[in-house]
Amino acid sequence: MGDRWRVEVDRSVCIGSGMCVVTAPGAFTLDAARQSHPSAPEDDANEQVLEAAEGCPVEAITLTLADSGEVVFPPED
């Protein structure tokens, strides 16, 4: 069984570009205020969700390992 990620969007940072919805269809949705939300609080680790996080123009998406809390994205400096 593969890793599971906890997917979080900081809506105080999100600008509603919709890039996450385009990059990872089904993993993110935009609400009426164009704020992104993960479709599920946890998801199987996958390249599309990682690409969505990496492509977010304001780095509003955080991915952590669901079992340990270890940060997957954004990388720690």
Side-chain angles (χ1 to χ4, degrees):
M1 187 164 125
D3 288 333
R4 292 204 40 91
W5 289 340
R6 179 166 304 283
V7 182
E8 298 179 28
V9 176
D10 184 340
R11 287 184 290 281
S12 69
V13 175
C14 177
I15 60 171
S17 74
M19 292 300 297
C20 56
V21 176
V22 172
T23 305
F28 297 92
T29 59
L30 294 181
D31 63 18
R34 293 199 50 84
Q35 295 291 288
S36 178
H37 300 268
S39 297
E42 287 187 13
D43 200 351
D44 290 332
N46 71 75
E47 192 64 31
Q48 284 185 318
V49 172
L50 180 59
E51 286 178 18
E54 291 173 339
C56 177
V58 293
E59 292 189 354
I61 301 169
T62 301
L63 306 174
T64 55
L65 292 176
D67 59 352
S68 69
E70 180 182 342
V71 175
V72 174
F73 187 87
E76 296 178 355
D77 293 330

